[in-house]
Coordinates of all heavy atoms in Angstrom, one line a residue:
M259 N -16.8 -7.6 -9.2 CA -17.6 -8.9 -9.2 C -18.8 -8.5 -8.5 O -18.8 -8.2 -7.3 CB -16.8 -10.0 -8.5 CG -17.5 -11.3 -8.5 SD -17.4 -12.2 -10.0 CE -15.6 -12.3 -10.5
P260 N -20.0 -8.8 -9.2 CA -21.3 -8.5 -8.5 C -21.4 -9.4 -7.1 O -21.2 -10.6 -7.2 CB -22.2 -9.0 -9.6 CG -21.5 -8.9 -10.9 CD -20.1 -9.2 -10.5
G261 N -21.9 -8.8 -6.2 CA -22.0 -9.4 -4.8 C -20.7 -9.6 -4.1 O -20.7 -10.2 -3.0
G262 N -19.6 -9.2 -4.7 CA -18.2 -9.5 -4.1 C -17.8 -8.4 -3.3 O -18.6 -7.3 -3.0
E263 N -16.5 -8.3 -2.9 CA -16.0 -7.3 -2.0 C -15.8 -6.1 -2.9 O -15.4 -6.0 -3.9 CB -14.7 -7.8 -1.6 CG -14.0 -7.3 -0.4 CD -12.8 -8.0 0.0 OE1 -12.0 -8.5 -0.8 OE2 -12.5 -8.1 1.1
T264 N -16.2 -4.9 -2.2 CA -16.0 -3.6 -2.8 C -14.5 -3.2 -2.7 O -13.8 -3.8 -2.0 CB -16.9 -2.5 -2.1 OG1 -16.4 -2.3 -0.8 CG2 -18.3 -2.9 -2.2
V265 N -14.0 -2.2 -3.4 CA -12.7 -1.7 -3.4 C -12.4 -1.3 -2.0 O -11.4 -1.6 -1.3 CB -12.5 -0.6 -4.3 CG1 -11.1 0.1 -4.2 CG2 -12.5 -1.1 -5.8
A266 N -13.3 -0.6 -1.3 CA -13.1 -0.1 0.0 C -13.0 -1.2 1.0 O -12.2 -1.2 2.0 CB -14.2 0.8 0.5
E267 N -13.8 -2.2 0.8 CA -13.7 -3.4 1.7 C -12.4 -4.2 1.5 O -11.8 -4.7 2.5 CB -15.0 -4.5 1.4 CG -16.2 -3.8 1.9 CD -17.4 -4.6 1.4 OE1 -17.3 -5.3 0.4 OE2 -18.5 -4.5 2.1
L268 N -12.0 -4.3 0.3 CA -10.7 -5.0 0.1 C -9.5 -4.2 0.6 O -8.6 -4.7 1.2 CB -10.5 -5.1 -1.5 CG -9.1 -5.7 -1.9 CD1 -8.8 -7.1 -1.2 CD2 -9.0 -5.8 -3.4
R269 N -9.6 -2.8 0.5 CA -8.5 -2.0 1.1 C -8.5 -2.1 2.6 O -7.5 -2.2 3.2 CB -8.7 -0.6 0.7 CG -7.6 0.3 1.3 CD -7.9 1.8 1.0 NE -7.3 2.0 -0.2 CZ -6.8 3.3 -0.5 NH1 -6.9 4.2 0.3 NH2 -6.2 3.5 -1.6
E270 N -9.7 -2.1 3.3 CA -9.7 -2.3 4.7 C -9.2 -3.6 5.1 O -8.5 -3.7 6.1 CB -11.2 -2.1 5.1 CG -11.4 -2.3 6.6 CD -10.7 -1.5 7.5 OE1 -10.3 -0.3 7.2 OE2 -10.1 -1.9 8.6
R271 N -9.6 -4.7 4.4 CA -9.0 -6.0 4.7 C -7.5 -6.0 4.6 O -6.8 -6.5 5.5 CB -9.7 -7.1 3.8 CG -9.3 -8.5 4.2 CD -10.2 -9.5 3.5 NE -10.3 -9.4 2.1 CZ -9.4 -10.0 1.2 NH1 -8.4 -10.8 1.6 NH2 -9.6 -9.8 -0.1
A272 N -7.0 -5.5 3.5 CA -5.5 -5.4 3.3 C -4.8 -4.7 4.4 O -3.8 -5.2 4.9 CB -5.3 -4.9 2.0
T273 N -5.3 -3.5 4.7 CA -4.6 -2.7 5.7 C -4.7 -3.3 7.1 O -3.8 -3.3 7.9 CB -5.1 -1.3 5.7 OG1 -6.5 -1.2 5.9 CG2 -4.8 -0.6 4.4
S274 N -5.9 -4.0 7.4 CA -6.0 -4.5 8.8 C -5.2 -5.8 8.9 O -4.7 -5.9 10.0 CB -7.5 -4.8 9.1 OG -8.0 -5.8 8.3
V275 N -5.1 -6.5 7.9 CA -4.1 -7.7 8.0 C -2.7 -7.3 8.1 O -1.9 -7.8 8.9 CB -4.3 -8.6 6.6 CG1 -3.2 -9.7 6.6 CG2 -5.7 -9.3 6.8
A276 N -2.4 -6.2 7.4 CA -0.9 -5.8 7.4 C -0.7 -5.3 8.8 O 0.5 -5.6 9.5 CB -0.7 -4.7 6.4
Q277 N -1.6 -4.5 9.3 CA -1.4 -3.9 10.7 C -1.3 -5.0 11.8 O -0.5 -5.0 12.7 CB -2.5 -3.0 11.0 CG -2.3 -2.2 12.4 CD -1.0 -1.4 12.4 OE1 -0.8 -0.5 11.5 NE2 -0.2 -1.6 13.3
R278 N -2.2 -6.1 11.6 CA -2.2 -7.2 12.5 C -0.8 -7.9 12.5 O -0.3 -8.2 13.6 CB -3.3 -8.2 12.2 CG -3.4 -9.3 13.3 CD -4.7 -10.0 13.1 NE -5.0 -10.6 11.8 CZ -6.0 -10.2 11.1 NH1 -6.9 -9.2 11.4 NH2 -6.2 -10.7 9.8
M279 N -0.1 -8.0 11.3 CA 1.1 -8.7 11.2 C 2.2 -7.8 11.9 O 3.1 -8.3 12.6 CB 1.6 -8.9 9.7 CG 0.7 -9.9 9.0 SD 0.9 -11.5 9.7 CE -0.6 -11.7 10.5
V280 N 2.1 -6.5 11.7 CA 3.1 -5.5 12.5 C 2.9 -5.6 13.9 O 3.9 -5.8 14.6 CB 2.9 -4.1 11.9 CG1 3.7 -3.1 12.8 CG2 3.3 -3.9 10.4
D281 N 1.6 -5.7 14.4 CA 1.4 -5.7 15.8 C 1.9 -7.1 16.4 O 2.4 -7.1 17.5 CB -0.1 -5.6 16.1 CG -0.6 -4.2 15.8 OD1 0.2 -3.3 15.6 OD2 -1.8 -4.1 15.6
Q282 N 1.7 -8.2 15.7 CA 2.1 -9.5 16.2 C 3.5 -9.8 16.1 O 4.1 -10.6 16.8 CB 1.3 -10.6 15.5 CG -0.1 -10.6 15.8 CD -0.9 -11.6 15.0 OE1 -0.4 -12.3 14.0 NE2 -2.2 -11.7 15.2
H283 N 4.3 -9.0 15.2 CA 5.7 -9.3 14.9 C 6.4 -7.9 14.9 O 7.0 -7.6 13.8 CB 5.9 -10.1 13.7 CG 5.1 -11.3 13.5 ND1 5.5 -12.5 14.3 CD2 3.9 -11.6 13.0 CE1 4.6 -13.4 14.0 NE2 3.6 -12.9 13.3
P284 N 6.5 -7.2 15.9 CA 6.9 -5.7 15.9 C 8.4 -5.6 15.5 O 8.7 -4.6 14.8 CB 6.7 -5.3 17.4 CG 6.6 -6.5 18.2 CD 6.1 -7.6 17.2
D285 N 9.2 -6.5 15.8 CA 10.7 -6.3 15.5 C 11.2 -7.4 14.5 O 12.3 -7.6 14.4 CB 11.5 -6.4 16.7 CG 11.1 -5.3 17.7 OD1 11.0 -4.1 17.2 OD2 11.0 -5.6 19.0
A286 N 10.2 -7.9 13.7 CA 10.6 -9.0 12.8 C 10.5 -8.6 11.4 O 9.6 -7.7 11.0 CB 9.8 -10.3 13.0
E287 N 11.1 -9.3 10.4 CA 10.8 -9.1 9.0 C 9.7 -10.1 8.6 O 9.9 -11.4 9.0 CB 12.0 -9.4 8.2 CG 13.1 -8.3 8.2 CD 14.2 -8.5 7.4 OE1 14.2 -9.4 6.5 OE2 15.2 -7.7 7.5
V288 N 8.6 -9.8 8.1 CA 7.5 -10.6 7.8 C 7.4 -10.7 6.3 O 7.4 -9.6 5.6 CB 6.3 -10.1 8.4 CG1 5.0 -10.9 8.0 CG2 6.4 -9.9 9.9
V289 N 7.1 -12.0 5.8 CA 6.9 -12.1 4.4 C 5.5 -12.5 4.2 O 4.9 -13.4 4.9 CB 7.8 -13.2 3.8 CG1 7.4 -13.6 2.4 CG2 9.3 -12.9 4.0
M290 N 4.8 -11.8 3.4 CA 3.4 -12.1 3.0 C 3.3 -12.4 1.6 O 3.8 -11.6 0.7 CB 2.5 -10.9 3.4 CG 2.5 -10.5 4.9 SD 1.6 -9.0 5.3 CE 0.0 -9.5 5.1
V291 N 2.7 -13.5 1.3 CA 2.4 -13.9 -0.1 C 1.0 -13.6 -0.4 O 0.1 -14.2 0.3 CB 2.9 -15.4 -0.3 CG1 2.5 -15.9 -1.8 CG2 4.2 -15.7 0.2
T292 N 0.6 -12.8 -1.5 CA -0.7 -12.6 -1.7 C -0.9 -12.3 -3.1 O 0.0 -12.4 -4.0 CB -1.0 -11.2 -0.9 OG1 -2.4 -10.8 -1.1 CG2 -0.1 -10.1 -1.4
H293 N -2.1 -11.9 -3.5 CA -2.5 -11.8 -4.9 C -2.3 -10.3 -5.2 O -2.4 -9.5 -4.3 CB -3.9 -12.3 -5.3 CG -5.0 -11.7 -4.5 ND1 -5.5 -10.4 -4.9 CD2 -5.7 -12.1 -3.5 CE1 -6.5 -10.2 -4.0 NE2 -6.7 -11.2 -3.2
G294 N -2.3 -10.0 -6.5 CA -2.1 -8.6 -7.0 C -3.1 -7.5 -6.5 O -2.8 -6.4 -6.1
G295 N -4.4 -8.0 -6.5 CA -5.4 -7.1 -5.9 C -5.3 -6.6 -4.5 O -5.4 -5.4 -4.3
W296 N -5.0 -7.6 -3.6 CA -4.7 -7.2 -2.2 C -3.5 -6.3 -2.1 O -3.6 -5.3 -1.4 CB -4.5 -8.6 -1.5 CG -4.4 -8.4 0.0 CD1 -5.4 -8.7 0.8 CD2 -3.2 -8.0 0.9 NE1 -5.0 -8.4 2.1 CE2 -3.6 -8.0 2.1 CE3 -2.0 -7.6 0.5 CZ2 -2.8 -7.6 3.1 CZ3 -1.1 -7.2 1.4 CH2 -1.5 -7.3 2.8
L297 N -2.4 -6.8 -2.8 CA -1.1 -6.0 -2.8 C -1.3 -4.5 -3.4 O -0.9 -3.6 -2.8 CB 0.0 -6.7 -3.4 CG 1.3 -6.0 -3.3 CD1 1.8 -5.7 -1.9 CD2 2.4 -6.8 -4.2
S298 N -2.1 -4.4 -4.5 CA -2.3 -3.2 -5.1 C -3.1 -2.1 -4.1 O -2.7 -1.0 -4.0 CB -3.1 -3.2 -6.4 OG -2.4 -3.9 -7.4
N299 N -4.0 -2.7 -3.4 CA -4.8 -2.0 -2.5 C -3.9 -1.5 -1.3 O -4.1 -0.4 -0.8 CB -6.1 -2.7 -2.0 CG -7.2 -2.4 -3.0 OD1 -7.9 -1.5 -2.9 ND2 -7.3 -3.3 -3.9
F300 N -3.1 -2.3 -0.8 CA -2.2 -2.0 0.3 C -1.2 -1.0 -0.1 O -1.0 0.0 0.5 CB -1.5 -3.3 0.9 CG -0.6 -2.9 2.0 CD1 -1.2 -2.5 3.1 CD2 0.7 -3.0 1.9 CE1 -0.4 -2.1 4.3 CE2 1.5 -2.8 3.0 CZ 1.0 -2.3 4.2
V301 N -0.7 -1.1 -1.4 CA 0.2 0.0 -1.9 C -0.5 1.3 -2.0 O 0.0 2.4 -1.6 CB 0.8 -0.4 -3.2 CG1 1.7 0.7 -3.9 CG2 1.8 -1.7 -3.0
W302 N -1.7 1.3 -2.6 CA -2.5 2.5 -2.6 C -2.6 3.2 -1.2 O -2.5 4.4 -1.1 CB -3.9 2.2 -3.1 CG -4.1 2.3 -4.7 CD1 -3.9 1.1 -5.4 CD2 -4.5 3.2 -5.5 NE1 -4.1 1.4 -6.7 CE2 -4.5 2.7 -6.8 CE3 -4.9 4.5 -5.3 CZ2 -4.9 3.5 -7.9 CZ3 -5.3 5.3 -6.3 CH2 -5.3 4.8 -7.7
H303 N -2.8 2.4 -0.2 CA -2.9 2.8 1.2 C -1.6 3.4 1.6 O -1.6 4.5 2.2 CB -3.4 1.6 2.1 CG -3.1 2.0 3.5 ND1 -4.0 2.9 4.2 CD2 -2.2 1.5 4.5 CE1 -3.6 3.0 5.5 NE2 -2.6 2.2 5.6
V304 N -0.4 2.8 1.4 CA 0.8 3.2 1.8 C 1.2 4.5 1.2 O 1.7 5.4 1.8 CB 2.0 2.1 1.4 CG1 3.3 2.7 1.7 CG2 1.7 0.9 2.3
L305 N 0.8 4.7 -0.1 CA 1.1 5.9 -0.9 C 0.1 7.0 -0.5 O 0.1 8.1 -1.0 CB 1.0 5.7 -2.3 CG 2.1 4.8 -2.9 CD1 1.8 4.5 -4.4 CD2 3.5 5.2 -2.6
E306 N -0.9 6.7 0.4 CA -1.9 7.6 1.0 C -2.8 8.1 -0.2 O -3.3 9.3 -0.3 CB -1.2 8.7 1.6 CG -0.5 8.3 2.9 CD 0.1 9.4 3.7 OE1 0.2 10.5 3.3 OE2 0.5 9.1 4.8
F307 N -3.1 7.3 -1.2 CA -4.2 7.6 -2.2 C -5.4 7.1 -1.6 O -5.6 6.0 -1.2 CB -3.9 6.7 -3.5 CG -2.6 7.2 -4.3 CD1 -2.0 6.4 -5.1 CD2 -2.0 8.5 -4.1 CE1 -0.9 6.7 -5.9 CE2 -1.0 8.9 -4.8 CZ -0.3 8.0 -5.7
T308 N -6.5 7.8 -1.8 CA -7.7 7.5 -1.2 C -8.5 6.5 -2.0 O -8.2 6.4 -3.2 CB -8.6 8.8 -1.0 OG1 -9.0 9.3 -2.3 CG2 -8.0 9.9 -0.2
A309 N -9.4 5.8 -1.4 CA -10.3 4.9 -2.1 C -11.2 5.6 -3.0 O -11.3 5.1 -4.2 CB -11.1 4.1 -1.1
D310 N -11.5 6.8 -2.8 CA -12.3 7.6 -3.8 C -11.5 7.9 -5.0 O -12.0 8.0 -6.2 CB -12.7 9.0 -3.1 CG -13.8 8.8 -2.0 OD1 -14.5 7.8 -2.1 OD2 -13.9 9.7 -1.3
L311 N -10.2 8.2 -4.8 CA -9.3 8.5 -6.0 C -9.2 7.2 -6.8 O -9.2 7.2 -8.0 CB -7.9 9.0 -5.5 CG -6.9 9.1 -6.7 CD1 -7.3 10.3 -7.6 CD2 -5.5 9.5 -6.1
Q312 N -9.1 6.1 -6.1 CA -8.9 4.8 -6.8 C -10.2 4.7 -7.7 O -10.0 4.4 -8.9 CB -8.9 3.6 -5.8 CG -7.6 3.1 -5.6 CD -7.8 1.9 -4.5 OE1 -8.0 2.2 -3.3 NE2 -7.5 0.8 -5.0
L313 N -11.3 4.8 -7.3 CA -12.5 4.7 -8.0 C -12.6 5.7 -9.1 O -13.1 5.3 -10.2 CB -13.8 4.6 -7.0 CG -13.8 3.5 -6.1 CD1 -15.0 3.7 -5.1 CD2 -14.0 2.1 -6.7
A314 N -12.3 7.0 -8.8 CA -12.5 8.0 -9.7 C -11.5 7.8 -10.9 O -11.8 8.1 -12.1 CB -12.1 9.4 -9.1
K315 N -10.3 7.2 -10.6 CA -9.4 6.9 -11.7 C -9.7 5.7 -12.6 O -9.0 5.4 -13.5 CB -7.9 6.8 -11.2 CG -7.4 8.1 -10.6 CD -7.1 9.1 -11.7 CE -6.2 10.2 -11.3 NZ -6.0 11.2 -12.3
G316 N -10.6 4.9 -12.0 CA -11.0 3.7 -12.8 C -10.3 2.5 -12.5 O -10.1 1.5 -13.3
Y317 N -10.0 2.3 -11.2 CA -9.3 1.1 -10.7 C -10.1 -0.2 -11.0 O -9.4 -1.1 -11.5 CB -9.1 1.2 -9.2 CG -8.6 -0.1 -8.6 CD1 -7.2 -0.3 -8.6 CD2 -9.4 -1.0 -7.9 CE1 -6.6 -1.5 -8.2 CE2 -8.8 -2.1 -7.3 CZ -7.5 -2.4 -7.4 OH -6.9 -3.6 -6.9
Q318 N -11.4 -0.1 -11.0 CA -12.2 -1.3 -11.3 C -12.1 -1.6 -12.8 O -12.5 -2.7 -13.1 CB -13.7 -1.1 -10.8 CG -13.7 -1.1 -9.2 CD -15.1 -0.9 -8.9 OE1 -15.9 -0.1 -9.4 NE2 -15.5 -1.7 -7.7
R319 N -11.7 -0.6 -13.6 CA -11.6 -0.9 -15.0 C -10.1 -1.3 -15.4 O -9.8 -1.3 -16.5 CB -12.1 0.2 -15.8 CG -13.6 0.4 -15.6 CD -14.1 1.5 -16.5 NE -13.5 2.8 -16.2 CZ -13.8 3.6 -15.2 NH1 -14.7 3.3 -14.3 NH2 -13.3 4.8 -15.0
G320 N -9.3 -1.5 -14.4 CA -8.0 -1.9 -14.6 C -6.9 -0.8 -14.6 O -5.7 -1.2 -14.8
W321 N -7.3 0.4 -14.3 CA -6.2 1.5 -14.3 C -5.4 1.3 -13.1 O -5.9 1.1 -11.9 CB -7.0 2.8 -14.3 CG -5.9 3.9 -14.3 CD1 -5.4 4.4 -15.4 CD2 -5.4 4.6 -13.2 NE1 -4.5 5.5 -15.0 CE2 -4.5 5.6 -13.6 CE3 -5.6 4.5 -11.8 CZ2 -3.8 6.4 -12.8 CZ3 -5.0 5.4 -10.9 CH2 -4.1 6.3 -11.5
Q322 N -4.1 1.4 -13.2 CA -3.2 1.4 -12.1 C -2.1 2.4 -12.4 O -1.6 2.4 -13.5 CB -2.5 0.0 -11.9 CG -3.5 -1.0 -11.2 CD -3.4 -0.8 -9.7 OE1 -4.0 0.2 -9.2 NE2 -2.9 -1.8 -9.1
P323 N -1.6 3.2 -11.3 CA -0.4 4.1 -11.6 C 1.0 3.2 -11.4 O 2.0 3.8 -11.5 CB -0.6 5.0 -10.5 CG -1.2 4.3 -9.4 CD -2.2 3.4 -10.1
F324 N 0.8 2.0 -11.2 CA 2.0 1.1 -11.0 C 1.6 -0.3 -11.4 O 0.6 -0.6 -11.7 CB 2.6 1.1 -9.6 CG 1.4 0.8 -8.5 CD1 1.0 -0.4 -8.3 CD2 0.8 1.8 -8.0 CE1 0.0 -0.7 -7.4 CE2 -0.2 1.8 -7.0 CZ -0.6 0.3 -6.7
V325 N 2.7 -1.2 -11.6 CA 2.5 -2.6 -12.0 C 2.8 -3.4 -10.9 O 3.8 -3.2 -10.2 CB 3.3 -2.8 -13.3 CG1 3.4 -4.3 -13.7 CG2 3.0 -1.9 -14.4
I326 N 2.1 -4.5 -10.8 CA 2.4 -5.7 -9.9 C 2.5 -6.9 -10.7 O 1.4 -7.5 -11.1 CB 1.3 -5.8 -8.7 CG1 1.1 -4.5 -8.0 CG2 1.6 -7.0 -7.9 CD1 2.2 -4.2 -7.0
D327 N 3.6 -7.4 -11.0 CA 3.8 -8.6 -11.9 C 3.7 -9.8 -10.9 O 4.1 -9.7 -9.8 CB 5.2 -8.5 -12.5 CG 5.3 -7.5 -13.7 OD1 4.3 -7.4 -14.4 OD2 6.4 -6.9 -13.9
N328 N 3.4 -10.9 -11.6 CA 3.4 -12.2 -10.8 C 4.9 -12.4 -10.4 O 5.8 -12.2 -11.1 CB 2.9 -13.4 -11.7 CG 1.5 -13.3 -12.0 OD1 0.8 -12.7 -11.3 ND2 1.1 -13.9 -13.1
C329 N 4.9 -12.9 -9.2 CA 6.3 -13.4 -8.6 C 7.2 -12.1 -8.2 O 8.4 -12.3 -7.9 CB 7.0 -14.3 -9.5 SG 6.2 -15.8 -9.8
S330 N 6.6 -10.9 -8.3 CA 7.4 -9.7 -7.9 C 7.5 -9.6 -6.4 O 6.7 -10.1 -5.7 CB 6.8 -8.4 -8.5 OG 5.6 -8.1 -8.1
L331 N 8.5 -8.8 -6.0 CA 8.6 -8.4 -4.6 C 8.3 -7.0 -4.4 O 8.7 -6.1 -5.2 CB 10.1 -8.7 -4.1 CG 10.5 -10.1 -4.3 CD1 12.0 -10.2 -3.9 CD2 9.7 -11.1 -3.5
T332 N 7.5 -6.7 -3.4 CA 7.2 -5.3 -3.0 C 7.6 -5.3 -1.6 O 7.2 -6.1 -0.7 CB 5.7 -5.0 -3.1 OG1 5.5 -4.9 -4.6 CG2 5.4 -3.6 -2.6
V333 N 8.3 -4.2 -1.1 CA 8.8 -4.1 0.2 C 8.2 -2.8 0.9 O 8.3 -1.7 0.3 CB 10.4 -4.0 0.3 CG1 10.9 -4.0 1.7 CG2 10.9 -5.4 -0.4
V334 N 7.7 -3.0 2.0 CA 7.1 -1.9 2.8 C 7.7 -2.0 4.2 O 7.5 -3.1 4.8 CB 5.5 -2.0 2.9 CG1 5.0 -0.9 3.8 CG2 4.9 -1.9 1.5
E335 N 8.2 -0.8 4.7 CA 8.8 -0.8 6.0 C 7.8 -0.2 6.9 O 7.3 0.8 6.7 CB 10.0 0.1 5.9 CG 10.8 0.1 7.3 CD 12.1 0.9 7.1 OE1 13.1 0.3 6.6 OE2 12.1 2.0 7.6
C336 N 7.3 -1.0 7.9 CA 6.4 -0.6 8.9 C 6.9 -0.5 10.2 O 6.6 -1.2 11.1 CB 5.1 -1.6 8.8 SG 4.4 -1.9 7.4
G337 N 7.7 0.6 10.4 CA 8.2 0.8 11.8 C 7.5 2.0 12.4 O 6.3 2.0 12.5
E338 N 8.3 2.8 12.9 CA 7.6 4.0 13.7 C 7.0 4.9 12.7 O 7.5 5.1 11.6 CB 8.8 4.8 14.4 CG 9.5 4.0 15.4 CD 8.8 3.8 16.7 OE1 8.1 4.7 17.1 OE2 9.0 2.7 17.4
G339 N 5.8 5.4 13.0 CA 5.1 6.2 12.1 C 4.4 5.5 11.0 O 4.0 4.3 11.2
R340 N 4.3 6.1 9.9 CA 3.5 5.6 8.7 C 4.4 4.6 8.0 O 5.6 4.7 7.9 CB 2.9 6.7 7.8 CG 4.0 7.4 7.0 CD 3.3 8.5 6.2 NE 4.2 9.2 5.3 CZ 4.7 8.7 4.2 NH1 4.5 7.5 3.8 NH2 5.6 9.4 3.5
P341 N 3.8 3.6 7.2 CA 4.5 2.7 6.4 C 5.2 3.4 5.3 O 4.7 4.4 4.7 CB 3.4 1.7 5.9 CG 2.2 2.4 6.1 CD 2.3 3.4 7.1
V342 N 6.3 2.8 4.8 CA 7.1 3.5 3.7 C 7.3 2.4 2.6 O 7.8 1.3 3.0 CB 8.5 4.0 4.2 CG1 9.3 4.5 3.1 CG2 8.3 5.0 5.3
L343 N 7.0 2.8 1.4 CA 7.2 1.8 0.2 C 8.8 1.9 -0.1 O 9.2 3.0 -0.4 CB 6.4 2.3 -0.9 CG 6.5 1.4 -2.1 CD1 5.9 0.1 -1.9 CD2 5.7 2.1 -3.3
K344 N 9.4 0.9 0.1 CA 10.9 0.7 -0.2 C 11.3 0.1 -1.5 O 12.2 0.5 -2.1 CB 11.6 -0.2 0.9 CG 11.4 0.4 2.4 CD 12.1 1.6 2.6 CE 13.5 1.4 3.0 NZ 14.1 2.5 3.6
A345 N 10.3 -0.8 -2.0 CA 10.6 -1.4 -3.3 C 9.2 -1.7 -3.8 O 8.3 -2.2 -3.1 CB 11.4 -2.6 -3.2
L346 N 9.0 -1.6 -5.2 CA 7.8 -1.9 -5.8 C 8.0 -2.8 -7.1 O 8.8 -2.4 -8.0 CB 7.0 -0.7 -6.2 CG 5.7 -0.9 -6.9 CD1 4.6 -1.5 -6.1 CD2 5.2 0.5 -7.5
N347 N 7.3 -3.9 -7.2 CA 7.4 -4.8 -8.3 C 8.8 -5.2 -8.7 O 9.1 -5.2 -9.9 CB 6.7 -4.0 -9.5 CG 6.4 -5.0 -10.6 OD1 5.9 -6.1 -10.4 ND2 6.8 -4.6 -11.8
D348 N 9.6 -5.5 -7.9 CA 11.0 -5.9 -8.1 C 11.0 -7.4 -8.6 O 10.6 -8.3 -8.0 CB 11.8 -5.9 -6.8 CG 13.3 -6.4 -7.0 OD1 13.7 -6.6 -8.2 OD2 14.1 -6.4 -6.0
T349 N 11.6 -7.5 -9.8 CA 11.6 -8.9 -10.4 C 13.0 -9.2 -10.8 O 13.3 -10.2 -11.4 CB 10.8 -8.9 -11.8 OG1 11.2 -7.9 -12.6 CG2 9.2 -8.6 -11.4
S350 N 13.9 -8.6 -10.2 CA 15.4 -8.8 -10.3 C 15.8 -10.3 -10.0 O 16.7 -10.9 -10.7 CB 16.3 -7.9 -9.7 OG 16.1 -8.0 -8.3
H351 N 15.1 -10.9 -9.1 CA 15.4 -12.3 -8.7 C 15.0 -13.3 -9.7 O 15.4 -14.4 -9.7 CB 14.8 -12.6 -7.4 CG 13.2 -12.5 -7.4 ND1 12.7 -11.2 -7.3 CD2 12.2 -13.4 -7.4 CE1 11.2 -11.4 -7.4 NE2 11.0 -12.7 -7.5
L352 N 14.2 -12.8 -10.8 CA 13.8 -13.7 -11.8 C 14.6 -13.6 -13.1 O 14.5 -14.5 -13.9 CB 12.3 -13.4 -12.2 CG 11.3 -13.4 -11.2 CD1 10.0 -12.9 -11.7 CD2 11.2 -14.8 -10.6
D353 N 15.7 -12.7 -13.1 CA 16.5 -12.5 -14.2 C 17.3 -13.9 -14.5 O 17.8 -14.6 -13.6 CB 17.6 -11.5 -13.9 CG 17.1 -10.1 -13.9 OD1 15.9 -9.9 -14.2 OD2 17.8 -9.1 -13.3
G354 N 17.3 -14.2 -15.8 CA 18.0 -15.4 -16.3 C 17.2 -16.7 -16.1 O 17.6 -17.7 -16.6
L355 N 15.9 -16.5 -15.6 CA 15.1 -17.7 -15.5 C 14.4 -17.9 -16.9 O 13.7 -19.0 -17.0 CB 14.1 -17.5 -14.5 CG 14.6 -17.5 -13.1 CD1 13.5 -17.4 -12.0 CD2 15.4 -18.8 -12.8
G356 N 14.4 -17.1 -17.9 CA 13.7 -17.3 -19.1 C 12.2 -16.9 -19.0 O 11.8 -16.4 -18.0
T357 N 11.5 -17.0 -20.2 CA 10.2 -16.5 -20.1 C 9.2 -17.7 -20.4 O 9.6 -18.8 -20.7 CB 9.9 -15.5 -21.2 OG1 10.4 -15.9 -22.4 CG2 10.6 -14.2 -20.8

């Protein structure tokens, strides 16, 4: 979006908010409800894909190596060391709800 946040700025915002949640709630399970762009950038960070790779692969043109569906669950464990992706785009809780 012209004049809007860059991919690097969005990624920085996503990772800093997630880190703030970990710092404020070190031994708790935290639920964050967010939009797909924020979550995608955070997952890129967790997977240690660089912002340069994101741009080179065409992230701004819609390319993604994974899917983030509406109402899906993504689980990241942020304990000791680096964050670990435990689940991505889980929609099993929506089974049987129809389309």
Side-chain angles (χ1 to χ4, degrees):
M259 181 78 53
E263 203 171 34
T264 67
V265 170
E267 290 168 339
L268 176 55
R269 177 183 273 212
E270 174 57 34
R271 182 167 57 93
T273 56
S274 67
V275 166
Q277 186 61 55
R278 190 165 51 246
M279 292 296 103
V280 169
D281 293 345
Q282 291 176 357
H283 309 281
D285 297 317
E287 290 185 10
V288 176
V289 174
M290 297 174 69
V291 179
T292 184
H293 62 79
W296 188 99
L297 182 56
S298 292
N299 273 276
F300 183 63
V301 169
W302 276 83
H303 167 73
V304 169
L305 296 175
E306 298 181 347
F307 292 157
T308 66
D310 290 340
L311 176 64
Q312 261 180 289
L313 293 172
K315 290 289 189 181
Y317 175 79
Q318 291 178 318
R319 294 182 301 280
W321 180 87
Q322 283 278 68
F324 49 83
V325 173
I326 302 287
D327 287 321
N328 289 337
C329 302
S330 66
L331 301 174
T332 294
V333 178
V334 176
E335 188 174 280
C336 298
E338 300 284 324
R340 66 179 185 80
V342 175
L343 184 64
K344 302 291 275 192
L346 177 67
N347 195 50
D348 179 3
T349 57
S350 63
H351 59 285
L352 303 175
D353 291 349
L355 292 180
T357 53

